[in-house]
């Protein structure tokens, strides 16, 4: 690219008024560059869409390893894309052992992830190697990010074509936009490809991991250096303050701990970051635009262990610091989690709670509906379901080895009103979903109303001739309100996930099929924590977040049917079809067409 002209290199006779005319000249100076990509193209590259096309092209050329790499590269930025996930599993089967490579991997992010992996295995020397390399790459990427912010900006606070600021305001506004871009490099470098949300506390975490890893290999100088580097970002962190004090005690008599300083590059970056923040806040006040400083060093991001050292030498156990190898903490929530409330209906049978299901906010119940109601609901399903309903007509949205059919509660009521299915049976679908909602709301002891977010009657049918050597799932492992990222051990609560969903439930209608077990896993999407065999009247309910990754094993024979329910605590996200269904029910009651034989009013609370 062309070298930038320094301010003092311009023509000596160029006056401010001339510069103003150059900036706002009509028509613009020269044609628009043909080398500047449109926003749609930029967005596609950000989401790695070209790799989706690449894998298809490689398949046509019978280059399965290259196709697998292309699919994996796309999937890393689109972990919610189930078809690509299934493609990758197919490559593993057809191409044998495949070493999947992310062609767009960020080196600093890859090494950080490897460092965490070795740290968790207590391979501290390897962890140190990867964390140190990640830091070096991070600061190099930060420098490049700063440079890439130079140049034309979008002036997001203004209608660009009608922008009428004076010369000095235009210049100031431009450089504030550049400064905001540079200031946001911290977030950019902490965000995985294709994601919106950054890894919280990303840069400080490197030093936090390193301070303990260096301690475990006996390098107390480096341990203290990294602890002090971490404390630049969080000077009041009690655990690391204790660790730093302990390291200083270990070094007494050998050298003066005060001579060990935080790392220079961390100090310089933090100083620059604070100056940028100060300038942006001053500019916001002076130029009249809105600016809120994000919390770039969120303390919620922390090492997933309790690796703190004792506060004194005498209190140190013989084998060193205390280690906690228990389960990682579950996703954060802004409400108090409770369970064990009344089930409301005397015929409903409690089976397992969260502890017995090895998780959080989980419950398994039986006898939610009777055998007769299961059969009636199944008859309704056969009369109203459409292949691919809810998935834009895709008959096999999750796996090519099964046919997927579904129907909504509004559709059932309309078919009943039109006489295409028995009205009493159509109303049963509405009534049992309301019964399920009441049970979930009561059992989890929610302090506010639980609303329907989506109600779906679904059946999965094994396709004959396609069941041999199956190694896929009927529904891949996922979470209901966030994008599960097993590689990062994270669940990103951002679009296109249904972030407003709070609780989920599945009410099963039959057991005369093979396979199809519902499973919970850890966030790695591999380690199964609970497996549930469906049967008539059985209901599994759970909170919808990353604490409950789940999926469905392959249905290898027969048809598996269930009522799938998703709920929200936010009335803004109430299911529109449910509201319309309520209106249909009110109309039917006025016409004295009556409810189903099922009584949805709860009996005395148990």
């Amino acid at each position: 690219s062309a070298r930038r002209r320094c301010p003092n290199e311009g023509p000596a006779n160029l006056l401010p008024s001339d510069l103003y005319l150059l900036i706002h000249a009509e028509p613009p100076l020269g044609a628009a560059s043909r080398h500047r990509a449109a926003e749609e193209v930029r967005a596609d590259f950000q989401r790695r869409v070209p790799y989706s096309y690449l894998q298809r092209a490689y398949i046509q050329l019978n280059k399965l390893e290259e196709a697998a790499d292309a699919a994996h590269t796309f999937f890393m930025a689109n972990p919610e894309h189930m078809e690509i996930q299934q493609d990758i599993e197919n490559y593993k089967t057809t191409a044998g052992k495949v070493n999947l490579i992310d062609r767009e991997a960020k080196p600093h992010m890859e090494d950080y992830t490897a460092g965490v992996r070795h740290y968790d295995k207590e391979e501290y020397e390897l962890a140190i190697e990867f964390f140190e390399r990640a830091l070096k790459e991070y600061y190099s990427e930060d420098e490049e990010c700063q440079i890439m912010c130079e140049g034309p900006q979008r002036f997001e606070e203004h209608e660009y074509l009608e922008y009428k600021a004076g010369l000095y305001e235009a210049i100031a506004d431009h450089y504030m936009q550049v400064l905001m871009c540079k200031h946001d490099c911290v977030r950019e470098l902490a965000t995985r490809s294709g994601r919106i949300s950054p890894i919280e506390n990303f840069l400080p975490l490197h030093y936090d991991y390193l301070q303990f890893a260096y301690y475990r290999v006996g390098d107390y100088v480096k341990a203290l250096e990294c602890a002090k580097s971490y404390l630049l970002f969080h000077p009041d962190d009690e655990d690391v303050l204790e660790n730093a004090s302990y390291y200083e005690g270990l070094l007494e008599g050998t050298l003066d701990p005060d001579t060990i300083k935080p790392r220079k590059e961390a100090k310089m970056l933090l100083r620059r970051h604070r100056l940028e923040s100060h300038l942006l806040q001053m500019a916001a006040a002076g130029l009249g635009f809105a600016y809120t400083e994000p919390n770039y060093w969120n303390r919620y991001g922390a090492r997933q262990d309790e690796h703190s050292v004792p506060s004194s030498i005498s209190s140190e156990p013989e084998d060193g610091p205390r280690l906690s190898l228990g389960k990682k903490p579950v996703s954060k929530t802004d409400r108090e989690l409770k369970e064990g409330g009344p089930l409301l209906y005397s015929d409903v049978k409690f089976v397992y709670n969260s502890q017995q299901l090895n998780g959080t906010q989980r419950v398994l119940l039986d006898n939610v509906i009777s055998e007769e109601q299961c059969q009636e609901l199944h008859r309704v399903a056969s009369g109203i379901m459409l292949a691919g309903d809810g998935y834009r007509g895709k008959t096999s949205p999750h796996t090519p080895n099964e046919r997927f059919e579904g129907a909504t509660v509004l559709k059932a009521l309309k078919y009943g009103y039109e006489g295409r299915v028995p009205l009493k049976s159509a109303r049963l679908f509405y009534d049992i979903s309301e019964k399920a909602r009441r049970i979930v709301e009561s059992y989890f002891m929610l302090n506010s109303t639980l609303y329907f977010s989506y109600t779906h009657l679904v059946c999965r049918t094994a396709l004959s001739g396609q069941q041999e050597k199956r190694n896929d799932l009927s529904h891949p492992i996922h979470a209901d309100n966030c994008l599960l990222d097993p590689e990062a051990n994270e669940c990103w609560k951002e679009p296109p996930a249904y972030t407003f969903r709070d609780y989920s439930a599945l009410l099963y209608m039959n057991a005369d099929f093979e396979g199809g077990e519902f499973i919970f896993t850890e966030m790695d999407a591999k380690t199964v924590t609970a497996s549930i065999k469906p049967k008539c009247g059985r209901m599994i309910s759970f909170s919808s977040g990353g604490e409950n990754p789940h999926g469905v094993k392959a249905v290898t024979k027969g048809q598996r049917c269930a009522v799938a329910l998703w709920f929200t605590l936010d009335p803004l996200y109430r299911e529109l079809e449910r509201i319309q269904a309520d209106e249909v029910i009110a109309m039917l009651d006025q016409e004295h067409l009556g409810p189903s034989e099922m009584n949805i009013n709860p009996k005395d609370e148990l």
Side-chain angles (χ1 to χ4, degrees):
S1 60
R3 181 174 69 91
R4 289 189 183 279
R5 183 184 296 276
C6 294
N8 59 1
E9 291 181 333
N13 60 347
L14 184 62
L15 299 174
S17 57
D18 299 322
L19 182 57
Y20 180 85
L21 289 172
L22 285 174
I23 293 174
H24 298 281
E26 289 289 347
L29 297 176
S33 172
R34 289 180 296 175
H35 304 289
R36 183 173 296 174
E39 284 300 315
E40 294 81 3
V41 175
R42 290 174 179 268
D44 281 349
F45 272 83
Q46 182 74 16
R47 292 172 46 238
R48 302 186 179 184
V49 171
Y51 284 96
S52 179
Y53 291 101
L54 263 179
Q55 71 131 347
R56 299 299 175 191
Y58 279 129
I59 290 173
Q60 295 299 318
L61 297 172
N62 200 30
K63 296 183 176 181
L64 296 185
E65 289 191 15
E66 290 86 346
D69 286 345
H72 178 68
T73 302
F74 176 80
F75 181 69
M76 293 306 292
N78 302 272
E80 77 287 351
H81 201 291
M82 293 180 179
E83 289 181 16
I84 289 288
Q85 187 176 2
Q86 185 58 55
D87 288 341
I88 293 172
E89 293 301 319
N90 292 339
Y91 292 137
K92 291 178 180 177
T93 302
T94 57
K97 187 176 181 181
V98 177
N99 294 319
L100 296 174
I101 298 173
D102 181 0
R103 299 295 184 186
E104 295 285 338
K106 298 178 180 179
H108 75 282
M109 193 68 76
E110 292 289 293
D111 284 337
Y112 170 80
T113 304
V116 173
R117 189 162 53 245
H118 288 297
Y119 179 92
D120 288 341
K121 295 178 181 178
E122 300 185 30
E123 299 169 349
Y124 296 111
E125 290 185 353
L126 284 172
I128 288 168
E129 179 183 342
F130 280 101
F131 282 128
E132 292 288 12
R133 189 191 304 167
L135 279 173
K136 186 177 180 180
E137 291 160 346
Y138 179 96
Y139 287 110
S140 176
E141 286 285 326
D142 176 68
E143 186 177 344
E144 183 175 334
C145 181
Q146 298 278 314
I147 294 169
M148 294 299 291
C149 285
E150 299 287 353
Q153 299 295 314
R154 293 183 58 198
F155 295 91
E156 293 179 0
E157 293 294 323
H158 308 279
E159 291 292 333
Y160 185 78
L161 294 177
E162 299 176 2
Y163 188 60
K164 300 298 183 184
L167 171 64
Y168 298 112
E169 288 87 351
I171 294 172
D173 203 350
H174 166 75
Y175 280 106
M176 286 305 102
Q177 292 276 334
V178 172
L179 188 60
M180 287 174 72
C181 175
K182 291 183 174 182
H183 195 56
D184 208 47
C185 283
V186 169
R187 181 183 298 276
E188 177 73 20
L189 294 180
T191 305
R192 294 181 184 274
S193 298
R195 303 274 60 82
I196 297 173
S197 307
I199 298 174
E200 294 176 337
N201 204 27
F202 182 62
L203 179 59
L205 269 177
H206 289 70
Y207 297 109
D208 194 13
Y209 279 113
L210 280 169
Q211 58 96 8
F212 189 82
Y214 274 121
Y215 166 78
R216 290 308 300 263
V217 300
D219 192 336
Y220 306 136
V221 173
K222 290 283 189 181
L224 181 56
E225 178 187 74
C226 291
K228 288 186 175 182
S229 299
Y230 177 87
L231 290 169
L232 290 173
F233 301 91
H234 301 300
D236 59 344
D237 189 304
E238 293 182 1
D239 289 335
V240 181
L241 282 169
E242 279 190 24
N243 288 1
S245 177
Y246 179 68
Y247 302 148
E248 289 175 353
L250 293 174
L251 293 170
E252 274 185 13
T254 57
L255 55 81
D256 183 0
D258 290 338
T259 62
I260 301 172
K261 304 295 183 184
R263 293 197 178 177
K264 187 183 297 184
E265 62 271 19
K267 197 171 182 179
M268 289 174 63
L269 183 141
L270 192 56
R271 181 175 178 272
R272 186 198 76 206
H273 196 71
R274 287 170 176 166
L275 285 172
E276 290 169 351
S277 176
H278 179 66
L279 284 171
L280 286 169
Q281 290 172 19
M282 285 181 59
L287 294 175
F289 67 87
Y291 176 73
T292 303
E293 175 74 3
N295 187 354
Y296 289 100
W297 319 118
N298 196 324
R299 283 276 298 281
Y300 286 116
R303 285 181 290 115
Q304 305 291 349
D305 57 28
E306 295 177 2
H307 288 189
S308 59
V309 299
S311 57
S312 66
I313 296 175
S314 60
S315 64
E316 182 183 3
E318 290 182 2
D319 58 348
R322 299 179 298 276
L323 300 180
S324 173
L325 301 179
K327 297 180 79 171
K328 293 179 171 61
V330 298
S331 302
K332 300 183 294 294
T333 180
D334 55 2
R335 64 180 182 275
E336 185 181 359
L337 301 181
K338 299 178 181 178
E339 63 178 282
L343 298 178
L344 301 182
Y345 301 86
S346 59
D347 51 344
V348 175
K349 179 184 176 183
F350 170 83
V351 182
Y352 294 133
N353 61 17
S354 295
Q355 185 177 3
Q356 292 163 315
L357 291 169
N358 300 314
T360 302
Q361 293 280 277
R362 301 174 181 177
V363 65
L364 183 65
L365 306 171
D366 278 345
N367 300 338
V368 176
I369 56 176
S370 68
E371 188 70 40
E372 293 75 17
Q373 289 166 340
C374 285
Q375 293 173 4
E376 187 174 352
L377 205 56
H378 206 283
R379 286 193 293 270
V380 173
S382 62
I384 65 174
M385 288 193 305
L386 286 177
D389 184 81
Y391 288 90
R392 299 178 182 176
K394 295 181 179 179
T395 58
S396 300
H398 306 306
T399 169
N401 302 306
E402 298 174 20
R403 184 177 72 254
F404 183 94
E405 299 168 290
T408 62
V409 67
L410 181 61
K411 182 180 177 183
L413 289 172
K414 284 184 175 179
Y415 273 40
Y417 189 71
E418 294 168 359
R420 298 164 72 174
V421 296
L423 181 57
K424 184 184 73 170
S425 302
R427 170 108 190 215
L428 177 65
F429 181 12
Y430 176 92
D431 289 343
I432 64 109
S433 57
E434 172 61 18
K435 180 178 182 180
R437 186 199 66 79
R438 292 179 60 89
I439 293 171
V440 173
E441 182 182 84
S442 177
Y443 179 80
F444 289 113
M445 305 171 70
L446 303 177
N447 294 324
S448 57
T449 303
L450 194 64
Y451 302 96
F452 287 98
S453 168
Y454 192 51
T455 312
H456 209 203
L457 181 61
V458 296
C459 290
R460 306 164 188 271
T461 307
L463 297 177
S464 60
Q466 296 182 211
Q467 302 306 314
E468 290 187 13
K469 298 181 180 179
R470 274 191 70 177
N471 65 346
D472 63 339
L473 295 175
S474 175
H475 199 135
I477 303 300
H478 64 286
D480 286 342
N481 73 6
C482 53
L483 305 176
L484 190 63
D485 188 349
E487 295 287 331
N489 205 42
E490 291 278 359
C491 203
W492 307 99
K493 200 167 184 178
E494 59 189 47
Y498 300 101
T499 57
F500 47 84
R501 290 177 176 173
D502 293 297
Y503 284 89
S504 309
L506 291 155
L507 176 56
Y508 299 109
M509 294 160 47
N510 66 317
D512 54 340
F513 56 88
E514 294 180 8
E517 292 89 352
F518 177 93
I519 54 173
F520 285 113
T521 73
E522 296 282 10
M523 289 187 73
D524 61 4
K526 296 177 182 177
T527 308
V528 175
T529 57
S531 179
I532 295 152
K533 179 67 178 175
K535 69 174 185 177
C536 169
R538 172 162 286 178
M539 184 172 83
I540 179 70
S541 183
F542 49 93
S543 55
S544 303
E547 66 277 6
N548 282 319
H550 58 279
V552 179
K553 288 187 176 181
V555 179
T556 55
K557 185 178 180 180
Q559 185 183 67
R560 174 193 191 270
C561 294
V563 177
L565 301 153
W566 292 273
F567 306 105
T568 179
L569 293 167
D570 190 340
L572 291 175
Y573 293 99
R574 292 176 64 188
E575 181 182 12
L576 178 59
E577 286 207 6
R578 189 77 193 192
I579 296 173
Q580 294 172 317
D582 293 340
E583 294 170 354
V584 172
I585 290 295
M587 180 184 68
L588 294 176
D589 289 344
Q590 286 177 357
E591 295 179 6
H592 306 291
L593 296 177
S596 68
E597 294 179 357
M598 175 180 177
N599 178 19
I600 66 166
N601 294 319
K603 297 180 180 179
D604 293 338
E605 292 187 357
L606 302 182

